[in-house]
Amino acid sequence: MAEMLDLESLASPAASRDEIVARLRRHEQEAMRVSPRDPRLQQMMGMVALAELHLGQDALAMQWAERAVAADPGYGAGHGYLAAGAALLGDAPRAQAALTNFRHALPKHFG
């Protein structure tokens, strides 16, 4: 059984940022396992991608972001996470392509 998310312990000064992010990542992964047809699945995948970026796992972040945008090509944040991961890994062409998709997915923010 999955560990319950204890927001009080997450806010504890004793919990490091990495510990908090790793726990949140595990909870998102558990939510995807329990509810694989959730209409917000792309957002869960995006949160795992963001957690991986925070933890310095850029290649894993890109994999999760790719899954998120495959599930919903209009999910702008997923394109943003993909752009960030690619840039951090030094893949400028891929980062630029993802950034272009990000801008197309969220036109009102760049218009």
Side-chain angles (χ1 to χ4, degrees):
M1 180 160 187
E3 139 193 39
M4 292 296 297
L5 181 59
D6 177 5
L7 295 178
E8 203 169 293
S9 70
L10 287 179
S12 163
S16 74
R17 179 184 66 98
D18 287 353
E19 290 170 327
I20 293 168
V21 171
R23 285 185 66 198
L24 292 172
R25 174 185 58 190
R26 286 192 307 270
H27 285 283
E28 290 294 336
Q29 289 172 322
E30 178 65 11
M32 287 184 283
R33 187 191 69 74
V34 171
S35 185
R37 292 188 184 98
D38 193 297
R40 297 165 304 203
L41 192 60
Q42 76 281 2
Q43 293 173 351
M44 293 178 205
M45 293 173 186
M47 288 296 96
V48 175
L50 181 58
E52 297 295 3
L53 285 169
H54 279 286
L55 294 171
Q57 301 296 321
D58 305 327
L60 281 174
M62 286 185 61
Q63 291 173 15
W64 281 103
E66 287 169 340
R67 289 177 66 186
V69 299
D72 179 0
Y75 179 49
H79 293 290
Y81 304 143
L82 186 55
L88 289 166
L89 290 171
D91 188 344
R94 192 161 186 197
Q96 185 60 50
L99 188 57
T100 297
N101 290 333
F102 174 76
R103 288 181 176 143
H104 287 288
L106 301 168
K108 66 182 176 184
H109 298 288
F110 301 100

